């Protein structure tokens, strides 16, 4: 291991990095060393490499866990500014460590880093070596709350992990650290004793005093304008807090206060450091970034029609952005070309993690010529009383470069102007495309954008190259520092990583020759076919439908899919299957293999990227999964020794939201809300007993080690642990059900107690967060409130027996419990949540393919989704029946005529005309009106002919005010009889 540290040090110093020493105060990561967190601030260039022992008390495992240490070794590299090829530099550094990057599967997998305590964040990847995370690779965007300019690249190697993989050992203790000395022999004692200290023996009161002393000293140093010693004391604060946290001595309130205090201090340190460097006039100078590319001035000429190829080359995009970016480029290119006169055929886009590709067929050589009309001043201002041209018109003509005699009249909106018409020659295709394609690049955006060494571009990951070909001609494109050519990039590990493209028409086949499939549909087919073939060799199959979302993610993680069969010890099948498959999917993106009965087999399919040595990659992935399952087994065994009540006690330490309190407070509210809702639906007997017990245990599994590590197992572990603790199956199932649905299309609660808990959970979330102003924005929904509202609607639709729980009823129950904590829940915010939830209901119906007018008609009933569903089904049946369209037409006419503020009452004695008397008598037959559409339609059918006759023979707006009031009151009565049934107006004229 020491040789690896020396090799990395030499590699990076040979590339201009200076070496600094590990920091002499505990840090949780090399990032917090001043050589990173302070030096990334400001405009000075900075290249540094150093070893950093990183101390994380919460990872203490007494030296028993093969992969977790309270002190692990990082090798930290900072490149400021971004050199433009940091990934290539990093891959070459792996080779000096002895890693054969041509044989192994080395992958850059999305991982966005943030440290709220220091106001710092960045975007990048975790780097995988055969499925094992070995490095964190980040483009620093902010530090100390300050935007970084220039952007720095941070590379953090996990040395123990790398060495375990290289040396083929399964426990950190077995790493050969130096000749004849193992890691365990050198550091095992310290690992055990410091774990003892952090987990068992650190004195809590002493640590609390130290925290205060360090925080006060940091403040004193800030006041003295000494940022470095201030930073040292902030680091000591952070470490002391971590020790307290590992001892379980930090409450929710204390956590929020401590984080707020450290965040404030860290930001002030950063600002003071930046000020001091300015005062010192930047001793290291200022970093220089690449210059902007010159704008094209010459464009090639083409003849006939040709195909356009446009490739935007990037570093690995997040899988969620790949398809979205391809679609946004297709849409933008289509719209921008439509704004020109250039004729063309179909626009098609493809994407991989490293490129977005657009094709446009049949591009014409030139735009057609046209005339351009420029509008000038109004005619009245263009000529004086004698008909002579004015200065305004003469100036307009001069500005247009024409003689005033060439001016003519142009009418716009009924006003006559003078104008000039000039020829507008069509531009060549290359000139048109040059501007369009440049705008495509500069307009790229994603859900989360970053910057790199290009000051004018911003996207999900750096854009590194452009290809633009019209047939065999390069289209000159300049986008900030980038210029387009005919050179594309293939696999970084290829013998020739760059390739020249002769012509647009042969591009896709050229990529395939180099192992890259640009078409995601074909990549998906390759993955599914190969995975099924591999699964069949062990008597199994991949559930393609069930794993569809995972397969979609894998498709966008690779350019050349190489599925590999792996296996694990059958003994791990003793763990609940959900644990095993969650680890496979969430952490490793492996496809589980099932037998004919749907039971998990001890095999999986991993999908590597590119040409690799399968046995080598298989062994690496199996080792990673083995370590993951060992962790899971550790958590499982530890949790089984703890009661659900004890786990629930841990919720006091888990923060939910500062104003709304801890997770324990939220769980308590959920239980009480569920019981309140149970009384609304008059739940009784065994189901009420089940609900009351499940309410006592609500969310308890969030305090388990397993769910802390694998949060997506919430509910699943509650059911497992409740069963093993002796709870009834009904209680266990209710605890599982309360987490459903987790996403759109997920199963819904199967039991009434579970459904009530699930509703209570989501009503609490919605009412509480809207009340404190934490509602979703256009692109931000950190608490997944859209999903919560959709869940409420889906549950109420699935459980019509709960129809008494309308949205207002459920939200009121939640508001009562939140208000009991002294939190104001305004009525306006509850109304907003109700409307927000109704919109989720509307979207579910539209997505299902229901007619949008019919959906709009039932929306007034959507506060009771099951009732709205039943009404919609009846409406869909009624639209095909005789007479329904006539009923809709007369009710719509009534509503159009009657002013909204008209009272539904009248003096029948004032109605003397035969038509109005007949209508009055018909209304009496319908009163009181049925409450469902199925009952209302036949009952109200007696109104159709009388209403029609009434409008033909009666003047509603009679001169006699009393008669007029009676007629309007009669119609208002009809209006209000029909109003609770449906929004009749929303149906429009669709039935006529």
């Amino acid at each position: 291991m020491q040789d690896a540290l020396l090799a990395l040090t030499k590699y990076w110093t040979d590339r201009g990095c200076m070496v600094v020493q590990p920091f002499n105060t505990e840090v949780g990561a090399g990032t917090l060393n001043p050589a990173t967190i302070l030096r990334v601030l400001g405009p000075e260039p900075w290249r540094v490499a150093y070893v950093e022992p990183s101390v994380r008390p919460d990872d203490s495992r007494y030296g028993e866990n093969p992969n977790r240490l309270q002190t692990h070794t990082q090798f930290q590299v900072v490149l400021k500014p971004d050199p433009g090829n940091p990934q290539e530099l990093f891959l070459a550094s792996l080779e000096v460590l002895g890693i054969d990057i041509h044989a192994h599967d080395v992958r850059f997998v999305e991982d966005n880093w943030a440290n709220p305590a220091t106001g710092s964040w960045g975007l990048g990847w975790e780097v995988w070596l055969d499925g094992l995370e070995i490095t964190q690779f980040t483009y620093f965007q902010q530090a100390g709350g300050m935007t970084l300019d220039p952007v720095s690249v941070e590379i953090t190697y996990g040395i123990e992990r790398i060495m375990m993989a290289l040396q083929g050992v399964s426990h950190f203790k077995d790493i050969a650290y130096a000749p004849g000395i193992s890691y365990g022999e050198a550091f095992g004692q310290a690992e055990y004793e410091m774990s003892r200290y952090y987990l068992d023996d650190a004195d809590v009161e002493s640590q609390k005093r130290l925290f205060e002393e360090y925080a006060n000293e940091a403040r004193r140093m800030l006041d003295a304008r000494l940022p470095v010693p201030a930073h040292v004391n902030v680091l000591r604060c952070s470490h002391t807090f971590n020790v307290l946290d590992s001892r379980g001595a930090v409450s929710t309130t204390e956590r929020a206060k401590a984080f707020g205090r450290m965040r404030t201090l860290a930001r002030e340190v950063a600002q003071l450091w930046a000020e001091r460097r300015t005062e010192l006039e930047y001793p290291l100078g200022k970093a220089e970034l690449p210059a902007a590319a010159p704008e094209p001035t010459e464009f090639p000429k083409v003849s006939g029609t040709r195909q356009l190829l446009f490739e935007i080359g990037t570093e690995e995009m997040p899988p969620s952005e790949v398809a979205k970016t391809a679609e946004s480029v297709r849409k933008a290119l289509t719209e921008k070309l439509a704004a020109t006169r250039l004729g063309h055929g179909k626009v098609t886009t493809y994407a991989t993690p490293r490129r977005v590709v657009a094709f446009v067929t049949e591009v014409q050589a030139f735009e057609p010529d046209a005339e351009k009309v420029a509008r000038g001043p109004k005619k009245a201002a263009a000529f004086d009383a004698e008909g002579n041209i004015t200065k305004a018109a003469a100036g307009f003509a001069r500005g247009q470069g024409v003689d005033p005699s060439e001016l003519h009249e142009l009418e716009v909106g009924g006003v006559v102007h003078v104008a000039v018409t000039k020829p507008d020659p069509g531009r060549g295709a290359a000139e048109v495309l040059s501007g369009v394609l440049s705008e495509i690049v500069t307009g790229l955006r994603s859900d989360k954008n970053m910057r790199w060494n290009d000051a004018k571009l911003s996207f999900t990951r750096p854009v590194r190259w452009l290809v633009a070909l019209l047939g065999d001609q390069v289209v000159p494109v300049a986008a900030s520092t980038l210029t387009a050519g005919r050179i594309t990039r293939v696999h970084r590990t290829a013998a020739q990583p760059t390739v020249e493209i002769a012509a647009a028409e042969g591009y896709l086949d050229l990529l395939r020759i180099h192992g890259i499939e640009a078409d995601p549909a074909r990549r998906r087919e390759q993955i599914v076919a190969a995975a099924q073939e591999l699964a069949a060799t062990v008597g199994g199959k991949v559930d393609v439908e069930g794993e569809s979302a995972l397969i979609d993610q894998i498709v966008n993680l690779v350019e050349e899919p190489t599925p590999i069969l792996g296996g694990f010890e059958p003994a791990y099948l003793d763990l609940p299957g959900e644990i095993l498959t969650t680890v496979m999917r969430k952490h490793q993106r492996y496809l589980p293999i099932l037998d004919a009965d749907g039971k998990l087999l001890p095999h999986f399919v991993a999908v590597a990227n590119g040409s690799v040595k399968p046995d080598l990659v298989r062994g690496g992935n199996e080792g990673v999964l083995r370590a993951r399952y060992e962790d899971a087994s550790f958590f499982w065994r530890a949790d089984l020794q703890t009661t659900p009540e004890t786990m629930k006690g841990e919720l006091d330490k888990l923060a939910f939201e500062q104003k709304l309190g801890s997770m324990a407070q939220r769980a308590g509210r959920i239980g009480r809300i569920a019981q309140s809702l149970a009384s609304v639906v008059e739940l009784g007997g065994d189901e009420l007993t089940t609900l009351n017990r499940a309410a006592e245990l609500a969310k308890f599994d969030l305090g388990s080690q397993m769910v802390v590590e694998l949060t997506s197992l919430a509910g699943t572990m509650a059911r497992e642990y409740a069963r093993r603790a002796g709870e009834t199956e009904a209680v266990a199932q209710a605890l599982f059900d309360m987490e459903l649905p987790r996403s759109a299309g997920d199963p819904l609660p199967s039991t009434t107690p579970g459904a009530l808990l699930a509703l209570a959970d989501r009503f609490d979330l919605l009412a509480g967060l809207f009340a404190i102003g934490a509602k979703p924005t256009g692109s931000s929904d950190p608490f997944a409130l859209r999903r919560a509202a959709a869940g409420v609607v889906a549950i109420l639709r699935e459980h019509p027996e709960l129809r008494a729980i309308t949205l207002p009823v459920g939200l009121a129950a939640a508001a009562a419990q939140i208000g009991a904590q002294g939190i104001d829940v305004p009525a306006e915010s509850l109304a907003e949540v109700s409307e927000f939830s109704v919109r989720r209901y509307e979207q579910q119906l539209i997505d299902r393919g229901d007619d949008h007018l019919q959906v709009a008609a039932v929306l007034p009933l959507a506060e009771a989704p099951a009732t709205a569903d039943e009404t919609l089904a009846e409406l869909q049946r009624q639209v095909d029946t005789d007479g329904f369209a006539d009923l809709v037409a007369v009710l719509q006419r009534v509503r159009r005529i009657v002013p909204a503020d008209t009272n539904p009452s009248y003096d029948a004695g004032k109605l003397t005309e035969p038509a109005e008397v007949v209508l009055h008598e018909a209304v009496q037959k319908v009163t009181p009106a049925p409450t469902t559409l199925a009952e209302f339609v036949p009952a109200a059918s007696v109104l159709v002919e009388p209403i029609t006759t009434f409008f033909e023979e009666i003047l509603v707006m009679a001169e006699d005010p009393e008669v007029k009031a009676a007629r309007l009151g009669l119609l208002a009565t009809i209006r209000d009889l029909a109003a609770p049934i449906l929004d009749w107006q929303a149906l429009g004229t669709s039935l006529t």
Side-chain angles (χ1 to χ4, degrees):
M1 182 165 153
Q2 67 183 17
D3 293 338
L5 296 173
L6 290 170
L8 284 174
T9 301
K10 183 175 189 312
Y11 175 85
W12 286 108
T13 54
D14 287 348
R15 282 149 188 81
C17 288
M18 63 180 285
V19 176
V20 300
Q21 300 306 309
F23 204 49
N24 55 6
T25 291
E26 292 97 335
V27 295
T31 303
L32 299 177
N33 187 311
T36 294
I37 197 67
L38 298 184
R39 290 290 186 172
V40 296
L41 297 164
E44 295 172 279
W46 181 251
R47 284 196 167 203
V48 69
Y50 56 92
V51 177
E52 189 67 69
S54 299
V55 182
R56 299 180 183 176
D58 200 43
D59 278 344
S60 297
R61 294 292 188 274
Y62 307 103
E64 296 172 2
N65 187 290
N67 302 293
R68 293 204 183 214
L69 302 90
Q70 54 79 31
T71 300
H72 64 282
T73 310
Q74 293 182 346
F75 190 89
Q76 179 86 350
V77 177
V78 175
L79 305 174
K80 178 188 177 187
D82 158 29
N85 63 337
Q87 288 181 308
E88 288 75 14
L89 290 172
F90 167 74
L91 289 172
S93 76
L94 295 184
E95 292 189 282
V96 306
L97 291 176
I99 296 173
D100 183 350
I101 62 174
H102 305 280
H104 288 276
D105 180 29
V106 181
R107 213 106 57 85
F108 293 84
V109 180
E110 176 194 13
D111 190 52
N112 302 324
W113 173 84
N115 186 329
T118 61
S120 307
W121 67 275
L123 302 186
W125 309 271
E126 52 188 43
V127 183
W128 286 8
L129 175 68
D130 302 332
L132 174 69
E133 181 190 350
I134 59 169
T135 300
Q136 188 82 27
F137 193 113
T138 305
Y139 286 90
F140 242 113
Q141 302 294 304
Q142 231 181 39
M146 301 174 68
T147 298
L148 303 183
D149 186 14
V151 168
S152 297
V153 177
E154 179 196 40
I155 303 172
T156 305
Y157 300 78
I159 298 299
E160 283 88 357
R161 288 190 170 198
I162 292 172
M163 299 315 300
M164 288 172 68
L166 277 175
Q167 296 181 9
V169 298
S170 58
H171 200 295
F172 72 85
K173 289 181 179 179
D174 299 324
I175 295 171
Y177 192 87
I181 301 174
S182 71
Y183 193 108
E185 290 166 339
F187 306 113
Q189 178 185 350
E191 186 64 29
Y192 170 78
E193 292 182 3
M194 291 309 299
S195 293
R196 273 281 307 272
Y197 176 72
Y198 291 139
L199 297 178
D200 305 314
D201 295 323
D203 183 71
V204 169
E205 293 307 314
S206 296
Q207 296 297 319
K208 288 182 176 180
R209 284 195 302 272
L210 286 172
F211 182 90
E212 288 298 322
E213 289 176 8
Y214 292 144
N216 291 335
E217 189 70 354
R219 169 58 57 200
R220 195 171 71 84
M221 291 299 97
L222 284 167
D223 294 341
R225 302 196 82 249
L226 299 173
V228 175
H231 178 67
V232 169
N233 281 283
V234 173
L235 291 178
R236 289 171 177 163
C237 271
S238 177
H239 179 67
T240 304
F241 173 85
N242 290 338
V243 174
L244 288 167
D245 200 24
S246 68
R247 292 283 285 121
V250 181
S251 70
T252 301
T253 304
E254 289 169 331
R255 180 183 302 275
K257 286 182 179 177
F259 264 77
R261 196 169 178 185
M262 289 188 287
R263 185 183 303 114
T264 299
L265 291 170
R267 293 189 178 201
E268 290 185 37
V269 166
Q271 290 161 3
L272 181 57
W273 169 269
E275 290 171 13
R276 291 286 296 123
R277 299 305 288 179
T278 303
E279 292 165 4
L280 294 170
E281 299 181 348
Y282 304 122
L284 297 176
K286 294 186 178 182
E288 294 185 4
L289 295 178
E295 290 295 325
T297 56
E298 296 183 1
F299 304 94
K301 295 180 180 179
V302 296
S303 59
T305 60
R306 299 301 299 267
Q307 179 166 278
L308 170 70
L309 159 68
F310 185 46
E311 179 187 61
I312 303 170
T314 71
E315 294 177 357
E316 280 78 354
M317 291 183 283
S320 62
E321 293 291 345
V322 174
K324 283 195 291 187
T325 302
E327 175 56 22
S328 68
V329 167
R330 187 200 64 77
K331 184 177 179 183
L333 185 52
T334 301
E335 291 174 353
K336 291 181 185 297
L337 285 174
T340 73
R341 302 196 301 272
L342 187 64
H344 63 86
K346 186 178 180 181
V347 178
T348 308
T349 53
Y350 302 101
T352 77
R354 291 187 67 205
R355 69 198 74 230
V356 180
V357 181
F359 288 106
V360 183
T361 63
E362 301 175 345
V363 178
Q364 301 292 318
F366 293 92
E367 290 180 310
D369 294 338
E371 290 184 329
K372 189 173 184 179
V373 178
R375 186 177 70 184
K378 294 178 182 178
K379 182 180 177 181
F383 300 96
D384 62 19
E386 286 75 35
N388 298 314
I389 194 162
T390 63
K391 288 183 178 181
F396 168 68
R398 189 168 52 253
Q400 294 296 319
V402 300
D403 188 270
S405 64
E406 295 181 53
L407 298 179
H408 60 84
E409 294 182 3
L410 175 70
E411 186 176 326
V412 180
V415 179
V416 179
H417 294 253
V418 294
V420 61
T421 299
K422 298 188 295 183
D424 184 14
R427 297 171 294 168
E431 183 178 355
V432 174
L433 293 169
S434 176
V436 166
L437 300 181
S438 176
E439 291 175 6
I440 297 287
V441 178
T442 56
L444 285 172
R445 293 295 182 272
S446 67
D447 288 345
K448 189 172 285 188
N449 298 292
M450 61 167 283
R451 296 170 302 108
W452 54 99
N453 67 347
D454 193 314
K456 294 186 178 179
L457 297 183
S458 176
F459 187 48
T460 184
R461 292 297 183 271
V463 179
R464 294 301 190 189
W465 79 91
L466 302 174
V467 172
L469 291 175
L470 185 58
D472 58 357
Q473 296 292 312
V474 172
V475 178
V477 178
S480 191
T481 64
L482 298 170
T483 56
R486 63 171 69 248
I487 304 297
T488 188
R489 303 185 189 183
V490 292
H491 293 302
R492 295 189 185 91
T493 55
Q496 189 69 36
T498 60
V499 177
E500 183 174 295
I501 305 168
E505 290 79 2
Y507 169 83
L508 289 176
D509 288 336
L510 178 67
L511 283 188
R512 287 169 185 145
I513 290 170
H514 290 273
I516 293 171
E517 177 52 67
D519 185 347
R522 292 184 62 159
R523 292 201 302 277
R524 197 180 206 281
E525 289 172 3
Q526 292 169 4
I527 290 168
V528 169
Q532 293 291 36
E533 187 176 334
L534 290 170
T537 64
V538 291
K541 63 181 180 180
V542 172
D543 179 5
V544 174
E545 184 178 348
E547 303 296 348
S548 180
L550 177 59
I551 293 171
D552 288 344
Q553 189 179 57
I554 294 170
V555 165
N556 291 324
L557 279 169
V558 295
E559 290 199 301
E560 181 183 1
T562 305
I564 294 171
L565 180 68
F568 56 88
E569 288 295 325
Y572 289 122
L573 292 173
D574 291 340
L575 291 170
E578 291 93 339
I579 295 176
L580 303 177
T581 55
T582 296
V583 169
M584 284 191 209
R585 295 187 191 103
K586 180 182 176 184
H587 288 291
Q588 301 304 136
R589 281 78 161 186
Y590 297 158
L591 293 168
I593 295 178
L594 311 177
D595 66 14
D597 297 324
K599 293 181 180 178
L600 185 65
L601 292 173
H603 299 282
F604 62 90
V605 175
V607 182
N609 184 41
S611 178
V612 296
K613 289 187 176 178
D615 289 343
L616 194 64
V617 174
R618 178 185 300 109
N621 280 280
E622 288 177 344
V624 174
L625 192 61
R626 185 186 312 115
R628 294 275 190 199
Y629 284 172
E630 275 301 308
D631 270 352
S633 297
F634 175 85
F635 299 139
W636 172 251
R637 291 192 299 269
D639 287 342
L640 289 182
Q641 295 173 13
T642 307
T643 65
E645 288 82 2
T646 302
M647 290 183 198
K648 186 156 186 179
E650 294 295 309
L651 301 189
D652 280 319
K653 302 172 188 174
L654 296 179
F656 169 55
E657 200 285 332
Q658 186 173 359
K659 294 178 183 176
L660 294 171
S662 68
M663 192 56 72
Q665 289 173 295
R666 173 159 147 72
R669 291 196 304 269
I670 290 169
R672 292 188 293 275
I673 295 166
Q675 290 167 330
S676 175
L677 298 179
S679 67
V680 171
V681 297
E682 299 179 352
L683 193 73
D686 291 343
E687 287 191 321
L688 182 60
T689 302
T690 295
L691 176 73
N692 288 335
R693 178 54 180 162
E696 291 175 5
L697 296 176
K699 300 285 183 183
F700 82 86
D701 58 330
L702 298 186
S704 69
Q705 293 190 40
M706 185 71 76
V707 175
V708 167
E709 184 71 14
L710 297 169
T711 55
S712 63
L713 286 174
T716 298
M717 300 319 301
R719 180 173 61 185
E720 294 293 337
Y721 293 147
R723 285 169 174 167
R724 284 162 175 76
E727 300 292 340
T728 66
E729 182 59 27
V731 168
Q733 186 63 36
L735 291 167
F736 174 76
D737 281 349
M738 77 173 293
E739 300 296 334
L740 301 177
R742 295 182 175 88
S743 60
D746 238 20
L748 294 166
S750 60
T751 65
T752 299
L756 291 169
L757 284 163
L759 288 170
D761 184 346
R762 288 151 181 81
F763 280 133
D764 176 75
L765 194 69
L766 290 161
L769 289 165
F770 268 74
I772 64 170
K775 56 189 178 184
T777 61
S779 60
S780 176
D781 187 9
F783 290 98
L785 296 182
R786 291 185 181 92
R787 188 169 65 203
V792 166
V793 168
I795 294 166
L796 290 175
R797 294 178 68 192
E798 180 72 11
H799 289 270
E801 74 275 10
L802 303 180
R803 72 177 65 244
I805 303 172
T806 62
L807 296 176
V809 167
L811 290 168
Q817 296 303 324
I818 296 165
Q821 283 184 213
I823 300 165
D824 181 41
V825 185
E828 298 79 21
S829 77
L830 293 182
E832 190 176 3
V833 177
S834 187
E835 176 62 19
F836 177 77
S837 302
V838 166
R839 292 303 155 200
R840 307 282 83 70
Y841 175 74
E842 179 183 25
Q843 191 61 52
Q844 288 178 11
L845 297 183
I846 296 297
D847 289 346
R848 191 176 70 178
D850 290 304
D851 179 89
H852 70 284
L853 295 177
Q854 295 175 10
V855 171
V858 303
L859 276 190
L861 310 175
E863 289 184 344
T867 300
D869 273 357
E870 291 164 0
T871 303
L872 179 60
E874 179 61 23
L875 175 60
Q876 290 167 342
R877 190 185 71 80
Q878 289 285 354
V879 294
D880 294 324
T881 61
D882 292 338
F884 184 68
D886 295 334
L887 176 62
V888 172
V890 297
L891 293 176
Q892 288 178 340
R893 189 173 183 185
V894 167
R895 191 173 187 89
R896 282 197 303 272
I897 288 175
V898 180
D901 59 353
T902 304
N903 287 325
S905 61
Y906 58 95
D907 181 355
K910 300 295 181 182
L911 304 175
T912 58
E913 296 290 336
E916 57 191 4
V917 171
V918 169
L919 181 56
H920 162 66
E921 291 172 350
V923 168
Q924 301 310 304
K925 295 176 183 177
V926 183
T927 308
T931 57
T932 69
L933 183 63
E935 295 170 343
F936 179 82
V937 171
S941 62
V942 300
L943 297 174
V944 174
E945 186 175 338
I947 292 174
T948 303
T949 304
F950 177 89
F951 283 126
E952 289 173 350
E953 300 181 4
I954 302 298
L955 176 65
V956 177
M957 301 302 181
E959 291 184 7
D960 185 329
E962 292 183 348
V963 173
K964 173 183 173 182
R967 290 172 179 173
L968 285 173
L970 171 61
L971 294 177
T973 300
I974 297 170
R975 176 199 65 192
D976 288 6
L977 285 173
I981 306 299
L982 207 63
D983 181 354
W984 303 92
Q985 302 303 110
L987 292 171
T989 59
S990 62
L991 304 182
T992 59

